[in-house]
Amino acid sequence: MAKRVIVKPGDIFYVTIKGKYRRYFQYIEKDDNCLGGDLFKVFKSSYDLNSSQTVEDVLNDEVAFYSHSSIGIGVRMGFWEKFSKGELSRQCEWKNVIVGYENDEVTRSIW
């Protein structure tokens, strides 16, 4: 039976890339308005697998981009693992994230 994965805002996950380094992302909130997935921010830095990071190291990193996915499914499939729980920024920087579909009115108005 598959392990149940509970994902809460602020949770930090990592993905191992090419067996050489690790990248982190933080779950922000469920998006029920546009794509219906989990909204998260991906941090810019890559870290060697043998190095150790603190929650502060990760959260103080620059945000590379925002994205949507089903985090729980990714954990169950082994694509990424939970690292820790972190505080979400008090500033709602993600409220300015614009998500659009290819060739929709929002996307066309930006480009």
Side-chain angles (χ1 to χ4, degrees):
M1 185 168 169
K3 178 180 166 184
R4 182 171 177 185
V5 178
I6 298 173
V7 179
K8 296 182 180 178
D11 287 351
I12 301 170
F13 299 85
Y14 67 86
V15 58
T16 302
I17 300 175
K18 297 182 181 181
K20 296 180 179 179
Y21 59 95
R22 191 177 279 172
R23 295 277 304 262
Y24 292 88
F25 63 93
Q26 184 178 34
Y27 171 57
I28 298 171
E29 64 184 18
K30 178 84 172 157
D31 176 12
D32 292 322
N33 296 316
C34 190
L35 297 176
D38 298 327
L39 176 65
F40 58 93
K41 58 183 173 182
V42 179
F43 296 100
K44 190 171 186 174
S45 296
S46 298
Y47 299 93
D48 185 87
L49 289 179
N50 297 322
S51 65
S52 60
Q53 290 71 49
T54 65
V55 172
E56 291 77 24
D57 292 335
V58 174
L59 294 179
N60 288 329
D61 192 12
E62 184 179 341
V63 175
F65 60 90
Y66 294 85
S67 189
H68 280 83
S69 188
S70 297
I71 295 174
I73 292 172
V75 171
R76 284 193 298 275
M77 294 181 74
F79 294 140
W80 40 73
E81 295 184 42
K82 187 169 181 179
F83 171 66
S84 189
K85 170 83 172 166
E87 291 295 319
L88 284 170
S89 170
R90 292 187 181 172
Q91 175 188 9
C92 295
E93 79 266 8
W94 59 86
K95 296 297 181 185
N96 296 321
V97 173
I98 298 174
V99 177
Y101 300 98
E102 182 178 355
N103 208 25
D104 70 0
E105 287 185 36
V106 172
T107 307
R108 283 193 308 265
S109 70
I110 295 170
W111 303 106

